Amino acid sequence: MKRKQFLVIGAGRFGSSVARTLYEQGHDVLVVDSNEAIVQQISDKVTHAVAANATSEEALEALGVQEFDVVVVAIGHEMQNSIMVSILLKELGARYIVAKAQTELHGKVLRKIGVNRVVFPERDMGQKLAHSLVSRNIIDLIELSETYSVVEVEAPQEMVGRTLQDLNLRVRYGINVIALRRGEKDTNISPGGEDKIAPGDVIVAVGENKALKKLGWI
Ligand code: ATP
């Protein structure tokens, strides 16, 4: 894996989690936060941490933002700061910007500015939790677009003992089973018609949200 250079601006709960994970994965991570105490706390868990106000153009310029592979703007609550920092990063030539949005409108503004990827951690986690609480056996859900999702579900009882050919999900629902997982170690990543669902199997499937809903999978 190629070692990458990351700049994380704002080390609240989200930013510090992103920064620490990247560092643990062997990447170079520079963290910037305006709060000295937060900088102190994180300094031994990342490559380098500095106290600076990222809404200052001089401060950002001094960091050499265009040198980083990815810049993460992890300021959520102070929306104005998040927007200002993102504009400055664009102007200074940051190569790829990921920013956390607190609301849909905040996200819209960030996209207009030209932020490459906008994330909504609270909204997404809330949706995942809600799905997992109301849908049977759902383990994970990735929304590919507004129309399609990938789901990971525990095989429903009525499917146990049947083969993928019997279930015929592709023809009946337009759903493709892309993996079958049995226990920790045994994952079949190209399941075929002859593969039989066993109790406790985990099905990973991709399909239209409408169809996944019919099965109670989202
Ligand atoms: P989380 O939910 O991840 O804890 P949050 O959404 O509450 O974070 P904020 O508290 O607004 O986000 O900001 C996260 C961090 O960003 C804080 O530690 C704050 O000190 C820092 N921060 C806010 N504005 C700036 C700025 N202009 N320059 C540098 N750091 C900033």
Side-chain angles (χ1 to χ4, degrees), residues 10-14 33-34 38 52-55 74-78 81 100:
R13 287 160 303 179
F14 178 72
D33 199 293
S34 48
I38 285 187
N53 185 349
T55 54
I75 304 169
H77 281 114
E78 296 165 66
N81 286 356
K100 165 185 153 158

Side-chain angles (χ1 to χ4, degrees), residues 8-17 32-36 38-39 50-56 60 74-82 84-85 100-102 121-122:
V8 177
I9 299 175
R13 287 160 303 179
F14 178 72
S16 59
S17 167
V32 178
D33 199 293
S34 48
N35 183 329
E36 286 269 3
I38 285 187
V39 170
V50 292
N53 185 349
T55 54
S56 142
L60 276 188
I75 304 169
H77 281 114
E78 296 165 66
M79 201 185 298
Q80 187 184 334
N81 286 356
S82 146
M84 276 161 58
V85 170
K100 165 185 153 158
Q102 198 77 19
E122 288 94 351

Side-chain angles (χ1 to χ4, degrees), residues 19 24 28 42-45 57 77-78 80 88 100 106 110-113 143 150 153 161 163 166 204 212:
E24 282 160 19
D28 285 322
I42 199 159
S43 62
D44 58 347
K45 298 176 183 89
E57 186 163 5
H77 281 114
E78 296 165 66
Q80 187 184 334
L88 289 173
K100 165 185 153 158
H106 184 190
L110 293 172
R111 280 196 201 97
K112 279 257 186 288
I113 293 167
E143 285 180 22
V150 176
V153 287
T163 63
D166 291 340
V204 185
L212 294 166

Side-chain angles (χ1 to χ4, degrees), residues 63-176:
L63 294 171
V65 298
Q66 67 285 357
E67 303 298 328
F68 293 87
D69 294 294
V70 178
V71 183
V72 181
V73 182
I75 304 169
H77 281 114
E78 296 165 66
M79 201 185 298
Q80 187 184 334
N81 286 356
S82 146
I83 293 167
M84 276 161 58
V85 170
S86 301
I87 291 179
L88 289 173
L89 288 169
K90 272 312 268 191
E91 279 186 3
L92 290 168
R95 286 190 248 156
Y96 191 89
I97 307 171
V98 183
K100 165 185 153 158
Q102 198 77 19
T103 63
E104 294 290 336
L105 184 61
H106 184 190
K108 257 189 206 169
V109 174
L110 293 172
R111 280 196 201 97
K112 279 257 186 288
I113 293 167
V115 164
N116 303 83
R117 181 168 166 196
V118 179
V119 294
F120 300 83
E122 288 94 351
R123 184 200 69 182
D124 292 353
M125 195 57 217
Q127 283 174 352
K128 276 192 191 193
L129 176 63
H131 280 299
S132 75
L133 293 175
V134 293
S135 306
R136 310 178 292 177
N137 309 327
I138 187 160
I139 299 168
D140 204 358
L141 167 72
I142 301 167
E143 285 180 22
L144 295 178
S145 68
E146 281 185 10
T147 321
Y148 299 101
S149 298
V150 176
V151 285
E152 200 180 334
V153 287
E154 262 174 47
Q157 201 51 47
E158 64 271 18
M159 292 190 180
V160 170
R162 304 180 65 187
T163 63
L164 291 184
Q165 191 172 7
D166 291 340
L167 294 171
N168 208 9
L169 297 174
R170 195 176 288 161
V171 173
R172 286 166 63 208
Y173 298 97
I175 290 174
N176 278 303

